[in-house]
């Protein structure tokens, strides 16, 4: 039997002189884990396709994150470099944590005439596989650091 765990979502922190607008928040959806004795995962592509493996079940499909950077130099190409792995933090003692092991992110993005650039991200979320339970229902959030270089 699967136990509903909660919502796994991501927050993005940027390192640049730009403002970040959240058009659509990045979430892996509502998940259930029947057994955390093996590593399980869900992958959400930028196009919205989602798959899962192991003892993890997607109860409610996630959504890729869509973000707009503003106040960049017009027509400037820039690269997005994530800092991975990224771990969840939940204030429930004794609960296992999720980890984002990979991101589906464009390597470069180009700003328009106004200095705005929109991009979409997806990624892979894995369980710890250490046998510790995921307590829920709870919202598990992961802070993603993405460096913007131009």
């Amino acid at each position: 039997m699967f136990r509903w765990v909660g919502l796994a979502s991501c927050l993005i922190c940027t390192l640049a002189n730009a403002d970040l607008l959240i058009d659509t928040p990045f979430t892996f959806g509502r998940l259930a884990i029947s057994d955390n004795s093996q590593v399980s995962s869900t992958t959400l592509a930028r196009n919205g396709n989602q798959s899962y493996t192991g003892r993890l079940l997607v109860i409610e499909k996630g959504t890729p994150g869509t973000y707009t950077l503003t106040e960049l130099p017009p027509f400037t190409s820039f690269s997005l470099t994530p800092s991975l792995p990224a771990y969840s933090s939940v204030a429930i003692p004794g609960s296992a944590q999720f980890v984002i092991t990979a991101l589906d992110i464009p390597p470069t993005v180009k700003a328009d005439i106004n200095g705005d650039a929109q991009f979409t991200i997806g990624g892979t979320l894995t369980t710890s596989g250490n046998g510790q339970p995921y307590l829920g229902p709870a919202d598990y959030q992961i802070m993603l650091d993405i460096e913007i270089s131009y």
Side-chain angles (χ1 to χ4, degrees), residues 71-91:
E71 299 183 28
L72 295 164
F75 303 114
T76 301
S77 291
F78 58 93
S79 62
L80 301 170
T81 308
S83 178
L84 294 175
Y87 296 89
S88 64
S89 59
V90 66

Side-chain angles (χ1 to χ4, degrees), residues 24-65:
T24 305
F26 181 22
T27 175
F28 286 97
R30 297 204 182 275
L31 309 174
I33 312 239
S34 65
D35 179 12
N36 190 30
S37 63
Q38 70 181 48
V39 174
S40 303
S41 67
T42 181
T43 298
L44 177 64
R46 285 188 281 168
N47 65 9
N49 290 337
Q50 189 166 11
S51 61
Y52 54 92
T53 65
R55 308 275 184 185
L56 182 146
L57 178 66
V58 176
I59 303 295
E60 184 180 305
K61 188 177 172 185
T63 54

Side-chain angles (χ1 to χ4, degrees), residues 95-118:
S95 182
Q97 298 301 308
F98 291 101
V99 60
I100 294 178
T101 56
L103 281 184
D104 180 10
I105 190 167
T108 59
V109 180
K110 187 172 183 176
D112 63 17
I113 191 171
N114 299 313
D116 299 336
Q118 188 178 65

